[in-house]
Amino acid sequence: MTSAASDGLTTIDIHGTEVQTFVAGAGPNIVYLHSALWLGDDTAFVHELAKHGHVIAPLHPGIGVGKDKNNIGSVDDLAYLYLDLIDQLKLKDVTLVGASFGGWIAAEMAVRNCNALSRLVLIDALGVKLGAREHRDIQDFYGTPDAELTRMCFADPAKGGAELRLLGDDDLRRRLRAREALARYGWQPYMHNPRLKLRLHRVSVPTLVMWGDKDGVASPDYGKAYANLIPGSQFELVINAGHLSHIEHPAAVASRIQSFAHNR
Amino acid sequence: MRVYHFSEEPYPDVWTPDRPTLRVTLPNELCDPKRANELYHRYVDEWMLADQLGFDIMLNEHHSTATCLTASANLMLAILARVTKNARLLVLGVPVCNRQDPVRIAEEMSMIDVISGGRLEFGMIKGVPYEIAPANSQPTRMMDRFWEAHDIIVKAMTTHNGAFNFEGEFFHHRTVNIWPRPWQQPHPPIWSSTSTPANAKEIGVRGYVCGSFMGGIEETRKLHKAYAEGYREGGFGNEVPVDRFGYLAMCATANTEAEGRRRADMIADYLRTNAQVADPFNKPPGYFSVDAAFRSMRSPNPRAFRTLMTPKGRPVELSTATLDDFIECGIAFAGTPDQVYEQICSFVDGIGGLGNLLLMGQGGHLNHEETVDSITLFGKQVLPRLKARYVPEMKFAA
């Protein structure tokens, strides 16, 4: 959410944790959980979603600057925080959308409680460990030079936007906060919960798993295997897309989510 | 004044400037175990000589690197506790936030204190950024973890009436009861190191010994001042004894100025290789505050290792500095015994007093014969003069 979008941020106090949340649009409820990577560059995607519904997009604590007396520090914390957010806003029939790291949070929410959800959409989601212990399912953001990470995240690296050092002060600070917060939540075990794959059978809403065909962070094979753990889920590739397929193709991905959400 | 002989036990055979990294990802096929064996024994011999000459001893540890073969300072301390006789044994330090189990640290430190007959000086440190990856350590909230580890270690060393329970935010032990307990009571002297006034003050509040590394006169003065503020705030008295502060510099002595300078220049490769780290491992997320990371990205040279000011206000980037730059900043002392003595006195008087001088007397390609000659000359001709001039009863100049 860029500076422009952040003008629309509302602060919601959830049992002592202030969550800065972007709210836009009208219609069916869409809760969108961002990736923390390339933070801000998903603005176009959020606006596309808002064409189709009432979008609620929280900034994860540590990235947003709200006060937090609860010291939110794990994906487990985030999953309960956003379930509480849904309860507090009395949202029903929510289409829950999560990209990359946000997809991990969305999956953790869905295995805990699907009561307020009607659809789950995971975009290049992280969160499960599928391969052998010597195999790295999810590339190490923190052990990868920036240029290489850009190639993993974008099929067309030109869509990766400006180098960090060229960002404006506010955007650079927010990116640095996101980098730190993502490490706080996902450093070890690295970007996954070893128990999540044993729980995905609990997801009881129709689920769409979308994956960049050129995702260099977590491969499409990983995505397919992830989807196979969710009963009845659909798996679809986003063509010519890297790990951040929703940033690379915002209109197409949002439009596919819209058709999935309304096809009941 | 105590003077400590320090070496990182380098493996310099593979140090070439063209390697993008000497740390973290450098394959260990480059490390010949037979050569490493020779080096370990050589460095122990040098520490034993230092002990005989009246030096104290300092060591530290680094991981996955050709710059430092001491992968566990505790293991080397255990050897030195047995083979040395008089030297204080300073570890600066144990990277307590990169260790999974602080109780184990308390046990090992107590063992070393007992084996050495109470010669341990126990440094606890945060560790440098590129130690995060080898330890797979959580880089966020490190100082919170540091102080919790510190608390359990000190409590473990000072509790003698049976097991206690500790259920903190980071560490959980239901039955803490270490054997042996430390020789020194209530616990070995505790040190920490820092380069920031805020941390120096925090160390002062606790009355611990503050180590500062190669900051030169200007930065060290600031640390002194912050430490003294903390020390008074901690209720330890208005005057700070000089033994509460330590300063690390590089040092080489020889019979001629030219030879002393040549030796120091080899030791200085220790600093020059510091920037040889693969980029992603240099700035782990959360290790530096968002503000510090922001300033670094906005600086003209984000890859700089560390930039110091000379007393005349000239900036010096340490990874590319010349020996004269290092001498001018007060982070290298080099030349004949008289010259080295004068340089050290000028530095110590310039910062307002010092009780612990930590000298990297071996570094880089400086070989065994050169090291022996250098520390022998220092031990015989410089050390006695320093001990006479700077007596332990001295206080920091205000």
Side-chain angles (χ1 to χ4, degrees):
Chain A
M1 276 130 273
T2 60
S3 341
S6 63
D7 294 339
L9 288 178
T10 311
T11 298
I12 302 173
D13 187 309
I14 305 168
H15 303 293
T17 301
E18 290 179 359
V19 179
Q20 289 189 295
T21 306
F22 179 75
V23 181
N29 293 314
I30 303 170
V31 170
Y32 164 65
L33 304 178
H34 66 81
S35 68
L37 293 167
W38 270 261
L39 189 76
D41 286 5
D42 55 356
T43 303
F45 174 69
V46 177
H47 286 295
E48 288 293 334
L49 285 180
K51 289 179 186 170
H52 307 300
H54 174 223
V55 173
I56 300 103
L59 274 176
H60 311 319
I63 303 174
V65 291
K67 293 191 186 69
D68 174 22
K69 70 175 190 190
N70 300 314
N71 217 355
I72 296 288
S74 67
V75 171
D76 182 59
D77 289 341
L78 291 173
Y80 284 110
L81 179 74
Y82 296 143
L83 286 169
D84 284 346
L85 172 80
I86 287 172
D87 283 351
Q88 195 166 310
L89 298 181
K90 299 185 167 48
L91 303 177
K92 301 278 183 226
D93 294 324
V94 170
T95 296
L96 177 61
V97 179
S100 179
F101 172 70
W104 176 11
I105 306 166
E108 295 276 7
M109 291 167 69
V111 300
R112 281 163 177 72
N113 189 341
C114 283
N115 287 347
L117 308 184
S118 64
R119 294 284 188 278
L120 174 65
V121 179
L122 303 179
I123 306 166
D124 301 85
L126 308 179
V128 291
K129 173 69 190 170
L130 300 169
R133 63 186 182 182
E134 283 85 5
H135 177 74
R136 192 180 276 175
D137 287 330
I138 301 163
Q139 292 303 315
D140 185 357
F141 308 138
Y142 299 108
T144 306
D146 287 347
E148 200 178 328
L149 187 59
T150 303
R151 287 194 295 275
M152 292 172 173
C153 288
F154 297 93
D156 175 4
K159 294 193 176 165
E163 279 180 61
L164 273 190
R165 60 187 180 83
L166 300 177
L167 295 177
D169 286 359
D170 287 350
D171 286 338
L172 176 57
R173 282 182 193 280
R174 204 175 294 119
R175 285 281 188 97
L176 291 169
R177 284 202 302 274
R179 184 176 141 78
E180 176 174 331
L182 192 54
R184 182 168 171 185
Y185 294 126
W187 188 265
Q188 192 187 18
Y190 180 67
M191 295 299 157
H192 74 277
N193 168 4
R195 312 305 291 170
L196 180 56
K197 67 181 170 195
L198 306 176
R199 299 171 184 168
L200 285 170
H201 67 88
R202 292 173 50 85
V203 178
S204 57
V205 290
T207 300
L208 172 64
V209 179
M210 305 180 76
W211 222 268
D213 64 340
K214 297 186 173 64
D215 186 335
V217 171
S219 71
D221 283 346
Y222 170 91
K224 269 177 227 158
Y226 199 153
N228 282 339
L229 294 166
I230 302 172
S233 67
Q234 302 175 41
F235 178 83
E236 293 178 11
L237 288 175
V238 182
I239 303 305
N240 282 327
H243 179 64
L244 299 174
S245 48
H246 63 305
I247 295 180
E248 203 156 8
H249 300 287
V253 172
S255 158
R256 178 66 190 102
I257 291 169
Q258 197 267 345
S259 65
F260 176 72
H262 292 269
N263 180 18
R264 305 195 176 200
Chain B
M1 174 185 276
R2 292 189 172 279
V3 180
Y4 292 72
H5 172 61
F6 171 52
S7 166
E8 283 207 335
E9 303 196 90
Y11 187 100
D13 308 42
V14 296
W15 292 16
T16 51
D18 58 310
R19 286 193 200 282
T21 183
L22 291 176
R23 301 175 187 269
V24 187
T25 52
L26 186 71
N28 66 17
E29 67 185 6
L30 296 167
C31 175
D32 174 1
K34 293 196 178 80
R35 175 73 179 132
N37 169 277
E38 289 166 15
L39 287 169
Y40 279 124
H41 286 275
R42 174 199 149 185
Y43 295 132
V44 170
D45 288 344
E46 290 167 12
W47 273 314
M48 288 172 71
L49 172 64
D51 177 40
Q52 290 157 19
L53 289 166
F55 285 88
D56 297 289
I57 289 172
M58 168 180 161
L59 50 154
N60 71 351
E61 70 178 53
H62 288 287
H63 300 263
S64 308
T65 177
T67 66
C68 177
L69 287 178
T70 326
S72 164
N74 297 9
L75 289 182
M76 190 50 76
L77 276 172
I79 295 170
L80 295 178
R82 166 70 184 178
V83 301
T84 61
K85 299 285 181 258
N86 299 309
R88 303 293 300 171
L89 301 174
L90 167 64
V91 52
L92 196 56
V94 179
V96 297
C97 349
N98 290 346
R99 287 286 173 77
Q100 305 297 320
D101 184 357
V103 174
R104 181 70 181 247
I105 295 172
E107 285 178 328
E108 291 175 358
M109 288 293 115
S110 297
M111 273 183 73
I112 290 160
D113 198 37
V114 170
I115 295 169
S116 67
R119 290 187 285 128
L120 177 66
E121 301 277 330
F122 175 21
M124 297 189 220
I125 56 154
K126 178 181 178 186
V128 289
Y130 38 76
E131 297 299 321
I132 295 291
N136 204 35
S137 177
Q138 177 80 30
T140 61
R141 298 191 64 205
M142 282 185 84
M143 289 316 288
D144 294 336
R145 210 160 67 243
F146 177 95
W147 287 115
E148 192 174 300
H150 158 276
D151 292 348
I152 191 170
I153 289 167
V154 171
K155 185 158 187 187
M157 284 183 159
T158 55
T159 299
H160 308 306
N161 60 348
F164 66 88
N165 187 71
F166 193 101
E167 290 168 284
E169 185 177 357
F170 303 99
F171 301 107
H172 298 257
H173 273 271
R174 294 203 294 283
T175 315
V176 184
N177 180 32
I178 63 164
W179 278 70
R181 66 188 171 106
W183 177 291
Q184 299 176 86
Q185 294 297 317
H187 53 70
I190 292 176
W191 293 54
S192 193
S193 60
T194 186
S195 59
T196 71
N199 288 341
K201 186 177 174 188
E202 180 135 19
I203 297 166
V205 166
R206 293 164 187 266
Y208 294 160
V209 188
C210 180
S212 78
F213 292 172
M214 302 196 182
I217 288 183
E218 301 306 310
E219 291 206 7
T220 307
R221 272 197 197 123
K222 288 179 203 155
L223 297 180
H224 248 175
K225 188 162 174 279
Y227 181 87
E229 271 176 41
Y231 192 82
R232 285 191 283 271
E233 197 178 304
F236 296 100
N238 281 331
E239 289 196 296
V240 182
V242 289
D243 73 354
R244 295 296 88 192
F245 214 86
Y247 177 76
L248 174 72
M250 302 175 286
C251 184
T253 312
N255 282 316
T256 65
E257 179 180 7
E259 177 60 9
R261 287 174 58 90
R262 193 186 68 84
R263 290 174 181 176
D265 206 40
M266 282 195 275
I267 296 175
D269 283 343
Y270 157 75
L271 276 179
R272 299 187 184 115
T273 55
N274 253 294
Q276 269 177 274
V277 185
D279 235 1
F281 302 112
N282 244 334
K283 288 168 184 153
Y287 181 93
F288 300 104
S289 68
V290 166
D291 280 341
F294 177 85
R295 284 194 303 273
S296 162
M297 297 222 38
R298 284 285 186 258
S299 77
N301 179 10
R303 287 226 57 196
F305 165 60
R306 190 174 174 195
T307 304
L308 290 185
M309 290 293 171
T310 67
K312 288 177 186 160
R314 183 170 61 87
V316 169
E317 163 51 29
L318 297 192
S319 56
T320 51
T322 65
L323 181 63
D324 282 323
D325 292 336
F326 290 135
I327 293 175
E328 193 179 338
C329 284
I331 58 184
F333 308 123
T336 64
D338 284 348
Q339 288 173 319
V340 166
Y341 175 71
E342 293 300 327
Q343 289 165 14
I344 291 174
C345 291
S346 156
F347 176 81
V348 173
D349 297 342
I351 61 169
L354 185 69
N356 300 284
L357 180 61
L358 319 174
L359 291 182
M360 177 172 260
Q362 193 288 323
H365 285 85
L366 194 72
N367 71 28
H368 180 61
E369 291 68 29
E370 292 159 341
T371 305
V372 165
D373 187 58
S374 176
I375 64 175
T376 302
L377 278 171
F378 188 105
K380 292 189 172 166
Q381 298 186 37
V382 183
L383 189 55
R385 285 195 270 174
L386 289 174
K387 283 191 177 289
R389 177 169 172 144
Y390 299 108
V391 295
E393 296 71 31
M394 292 173 91
K395 312 285 186 195
F396 280 169

